[in-house]
Each structure stands twice: as structure tokens, then as C-alpha cells.
DNA sequence: ACCTGAACACCGTTCAAGT
DNA sequence: ACCTGAACACCGTTCAAGT
């Protein structure tokens, strides 16, 4: 056995353990809610607590890792929306996607609302998201489709607020109407 | 000592203890945030944990007791808003007050967002609030000042969402703009 | 009657000890 | 190198024991 092989098998095993922990965390999240417990994740993944902490130094780090995939999808959607020929269509698509993805992934809702990320990957993705939104808003502003004072951070916060309004007990139909209300409110 | 005097002094003492616990809870809330701990409240009030539970059977009950005063104020504001000669002015006043009071009292924000109350008093006040909002919305609908499909529950949820959007890191100026955006979005 | 606080089963987090 | 799990200081909640 060369040391390389050994290291690689270690790495492969580590990756497998990491995946198992994330899966367990996702299960707990889907079942219970936002009360993600490190100890419970460890038990569910058949792993010591220390191993969870080795991969995710804090609860926030675990949350960000859970949300990474959704955040990536949201960034891609925002980039596509910014390229949409019709700005209004792009804006509507972005808001709708931003709401839907937050509702389907509570971890993303929390990460999107957090002031400061703890993982480098999350920071990068957040920057990309902000840039895409800013591009879309610039275009919309130029065409007079939105209030001139709207920033990318404003839109992010309003999107988080919309999510909260829906999660609090709204139906899917309600969610569509709230989306409509926000879109109407953004017009100049 | 007549038994009446004895019972009354017990009741008076109980009320004093209750007030001390609420004050301690309010302090903790103002300082730390939303992480209201029953044990910490007991210690800060110089009282056994059991005494806290005797007065507030659950954390939610304590939260509602904390929010009761703010909720009363909000109800009064809503009633006054419903009587405002100009519906638009009334609606704007209600939203502004609803946002401000939630920001100043995190307990109220949580109670307003909760699906079901646990204290009878909270239930009554919530019903009063819903009734006042419904009255205002009926008038606004008749005058064609708002979307016809808007319910009192919609407005409550949107108000909670607005609070969330602001708490997430917005400035006071941002809050005013978000308020404006919501008001604009509510128009038909 | 009312209050106390030890006790229970949890939580996030750390770290000596094992492989 | 990596993992384990007992240990620490907490949490919400209960309830026998005291006054």
C-alpha cells in the first residue's frame, strides 16, 4: 500500500462520512423543523459528536453546508433572470424562485437571512447572488421598471420577509398573492 | 389576622413575584435576544424555577404575558385606524404602528406570528385585532383602495414578514421604504 | 396554599484517550 | 491522522419535599 493510496482511501472514507452526516441532518431538518441538533445528527449518522464538529466546526457551518446546493441553484436562477430579455419577467422569475427555494429548504432561508456567513463557499455564492441581483436591478432601473432606490440587499431582505410571511401559515395560493403584492410594490 | 387578610396578602405577594419575573424576563429579552430561558428568568428574579412554571405553564405563556401590553396597544391603534376618516391614512398608520411595535418588542413579533395562542387573554386580543383590521379592510375595499382579495390574516402575515425583513439588518430608513413598498403593493 | 431546588433528559461544545 | 464518547455547563420541565 503506497501512502498515496492510504491517504486517498482516508479521504474517500471521510467524504462518505460527511455525506452520511449531511443526509442525516437533512432528514432531521425535513422531519422536525429548524431545531437541528449536533448530537442528534451524530447519532443518526452513526458517528461520534466530535466527528460532526471536525467537519462542521459550528451549527452555522452545518447549516451553510446544507444550504449550499440550494444557494447554488438560486444563484444560477438569478444569473439567468438577469439575462432575461424582458426585465419584468426576469424580476418575477427571480422572486418566485427565491421564495419557492426558501420554502423547500429551511436551511437556505436561515443562511439567506444571516448577516455573515462562516464558510468561504457561502460567502462566494452570496457575493455571486448579490452581483446577479444588482445586474438585474440596474437593468430594471434603467428601463424604469422599478423604484430607483432599490438595492440588491433590499431585495434579499424583502425576499426573506416574504418567506417568513408565507411560512407563518399561508397556503400556496396566498404565497402567489403575496408575491404579486411585492412585485406590484416594487414598481416606481 | 382574618383569613381574608391572609389570602389577600398572599395574592399581593404573588402579584409582586409575578411582576418581578416579568421584569426579569423583559431585561433578558432586551439584553440577549429571543433566547428566553426559564431557568435564567428564575435566577434573575430570585425565585425557584417551579415558581416561574406556576405562573407561566410554558415558555409560550411567558412570551404571551410579555407581549400582552404591546398587543393591547396594537389593538387600540388598529381600532383607531379603522375609524380614521381617510382609509388610506388609517391603513398606513396601522402598518407603520404594527411594524414599529414588533421591532420594539420581539415577544410581540413572535406572538403575532404564532398560529395558536395559549393564554385566553392573547386569544381575545388577537380576535379584537383581527376584527379591527377586517373593519378597516372592508372600508378600504368598498372605496377601492386595496386589492379585493386581501384578508385580515393576509395583512397580519405580511406585517410579520415586513418585521422579519427589517430585523435581518435593515436601517430605519430601509424600514420606511419597505413599508412604502408594501403599501403600494396593496393597492388594487 | 405556595415555593424550592434537585432531578431528568436533553442541548452545544471540548478534549483526553483510543485506533 | 482520524474518530470516539465522557464531560462540562447549560436548557425546559417535573415533582417530592419543605414552609
Amino acid at each position: 500500500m503506497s501512502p498515496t493510496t492510504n491517504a486517498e482511501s482516508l479521504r474517500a472514507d471521510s467524504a462518505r462520512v460527511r455525506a452520511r452526516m449531511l443526509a442525516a441532518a437533512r432528514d432531521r431538518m425535513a422531519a422536525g423543523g429548524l431545531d437541528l441538533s449536533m448530537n442528534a445528527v451524530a447519532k443518526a449518522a452513526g458517528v461520534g459528536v466530535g466527528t460532526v464538529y471536525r467537519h462542521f466546526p459550528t451549527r452555522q457551518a452545518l447549516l451553510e453546508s446544507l444550504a449550499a446546493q440550494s444557494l447554488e441553484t438560486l444563484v444560477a436562477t438569478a444569473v439567468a433572470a438577469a439575462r432575461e430579455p424582458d426585465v419584468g419577467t426576469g424580476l418575477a422569475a427571480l422572486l418566485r424562485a427565491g421564495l419557492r427555494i426558501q420554502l423547500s429548504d429551511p436551511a437556505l432561508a436561515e443562511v439567506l437571512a444571516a448577516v455573515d456567513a462562516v464558510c468561504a463557499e457561502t460567502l462566494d455564492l452570496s457575493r455571486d447572488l448579490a452581483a446577479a441581483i444588482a445586474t438585474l436591478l440596474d437593468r430594471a432601473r434603467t428601463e424604469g421598471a422599478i423604484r430607483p432606490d432599490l438595492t440588491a440587499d433590499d431585495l434579499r431582505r424583502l425576499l426573506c420577509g416574504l418567506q417568513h410571511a408565507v411560512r407563518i401559515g399561508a397556503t400556496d395560493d396566498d404565497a402567489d398573492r403575496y408575491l404579486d403584492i411585492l412585485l406590484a410594490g416594487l414598481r416606481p
Side-chain angles (χ1 to χ4, degrees), chain A residues 12-46:
Chain A
D13 189 64
S14 187
R16 224 172 298 126
V17 165
R18 196 189 135 96
R20 218 165 63 221
M21 288 186 294
L22 281 175
R26 231 178 292 272
D27 278 5
R28 295 245 120 211
M29 205 76 171
L34 301 88
D35 54 335
L36 191 58
S37 150
M38 300 296 256
N39 288 268
V41 167
K43 187 166 295 183

Side-chain angles (χ1 to χ4, degrees), chain A residues 1-16 55:
Chain A
M1 286 258 177
S2 73
T4 307
T5 307
N6 199 350
E8 262 165 20
S9 82
L10 271 176
R11 239 175 289 151
D13 189 64
S14 187
R16 224 172 298 126
H55 284 84

Side-chain angles (χ1 to χ4, degrees), chain A residues 85-109:
Chain A
D86 182 68
V87 224
T89 306
L91 191 59
L94 173 61
L95 289 188
R96 187 176 312 276
L99 176 59
R100 272 213 322 144
I101 205 163
Q102 278 187 93
L103 290 174
S104 75
D105 186 350
L108 178 65

Side-chain angles (χ1 to χ4, degrees), chain A:
Chain A
M1 286 258 177
S2 73
T4 307
T5 307
N6 199 350
E8 262 165 20
S9 82
L10 271 176
R11 239 175 289 151
D13 189 64
S14 187
R16 224 172 298 126
V17 165
R18 196 189 135 96
R20 218 165 63 221
M21 288 186 294
L22 281 175
R26 231 178 292 272
D27 278 5
R28 295 245 120 211
M29 205 76 171
L34 301 88
D35 54 335
L36 191 58
S37 150
M38 300 296 256
N39 288 268
V41 167
K43 187 166 295 183
V47 126
V49 221
T51 305
V52 178
Y53 276 91
R54 160 165 284 278
H55 284 84
F56 312 103
T58 179
R59 207 183 145 272
Q60 172 70 14
L62 174 56
L63 221 55
E64 291 180 23
S65 295
L66 275 177
Q69 206 174 320
S70 299
L71 186 51
E72 231 165 307
T73 305
L74 182 56
V75 170
T77 308
V79 169
R83 291 206 186 105
E84 180 71 33
D86 182 68
V87 224
T89 306
L91 191 59
L94 173 61
L95 289 188
R96 187 176 312 276
L99 176 59
R100 272 213 322 144
I101 205 163
Q102 278 187 93
L103 290 174
S104 75
D105 186 350
L108 178 65
E110 224 167 302
V111 169
L112 216 57
V115 206
D116 34 37
V118 88
C119 302
E121 193 191 358
T122 309
L123 270 170
D124 282 353
L125 286 171
S126 294
R127 242 191 308 266
D128 292 349
L129 180 63
I133 295 179
T135 303
L136 180 58
L137 290 186
D138 281 348
R139 279 187 56 206
R141 200 162 20 237
T142 303
E143 299 191 16
I146 55 160
R147 295 168 174 253
D149 55 7
L150 207 70
T151 71
D153 253 357
D154 287 333
L155 207 72
R156 178 180 60 82
R157 288 193 206 106
L158 288 168
L159 212 38
C160 291
L162 191 59
Q163 180 269 343
H164 190 244
V166 172
R167 188 183 297 286
I168 250 154
T171 66
D172 281 0
D173 283 357
D174 293 337
D176 284 340
R177 283 164 46 232
Y178 299 170
L179 210 45
D180 218 56
I181 288 170
L182 179 55
L183 269 167
L186 295 181
R187 285 194 268 274

